[in-house]
Amino acid sequence: MQTFNPLIRELIAISGAIVFLSGCGESIDARQTQVVNGLIYKRNATDPFTGTLKNYQGMARYATGCEEPTEVPVKDGLFDGKITCTTQGRKSAELAFNEGKKHGDWRVFNDRGEVYIQ
């Protein structure tokens, strides 16, 4: 009977944990959500959504350069994390939220990729 080297066993365990944890956040299209009392819910769900909204089209109300659909991280029904907006395939803005509130520096980029609003 063949036994595994302890290092190989540890690497297999770590790899399994990474695969398991990466599946914790669901990724859904923004059209599958609804906002109730200021929190984002997956339609017909009873708990606020945690995961990634794909094709979210509402970032333009927060920053110039976010007119195209983008992916938005959400935790417990609120924007939470870094958001990168693109326009015609180029990065046009970087925003960050923490528990639904503006967090850190927000940057808007010009056509040459230079920061022009911070």
Side-chain angles (χ1 to χ4, degrees):
M1 186 164 141
Q2 184 180 16
T3 59
F4 285 101
N5 178 325
L7 178 60
I8 292 174
R9 251 190 236 174
E10 190 173 331
L11 288 172
I12 291 171
I14 291 171
S15 298
I18 290 170
V19 168
F20 174 75
L21 291 175
S22 67
C24 289
E26 188 176 2
S27 182
I28 63 172
D29 192 279
R31 294 172 291 189
Q32 295 175 282
T33 63
Q34 59 189 14
V35 177
V36 178
N37 295 326
L39 297 177
I40 300 167
Y41 288 80
K42 184 174 179 180
R43 288 207 186 275
N44 303 319
T46 56
D47 295 322
F49 179 71
T50 294
T52 303
L53 295 182
K54 296 182 294 185
N55 301 314
Y56 183 74
Q57 297 186 6
M59 293 314 299
R61 75 181 78 156
Y62 298 100
T64 302
C66 288
E67 285 77 22
E68 292 183 4
T70 190
E71 291 190 359
V72 179
V74 176
K75 182 177 176 187
D76 298 327
L78 299 170
F79 295 159
D80 195 85
K82 182 179 176 183
I83 300 165
T84 301
C85 299
T86 58
T87 300
Q88 298 176 348
R90 291 187 308 265
K91 180 167 54 173
S92 55
E94 288 180 341
L95 318 171
F97 289 87
N98 184 13
E99 297 178 352
K101 296 183 176 92
K102 178 182 174 180
H103 179 74
D105 292 332
W106 286 20
R107 296 177 181 90
V108 178
F109 301 90
N110 63 20
D111 292 340
R112 295 181 303 277
E114 302 163 332
V115 175
Y116 75 92
I117 298 176
Q118 186 164 351

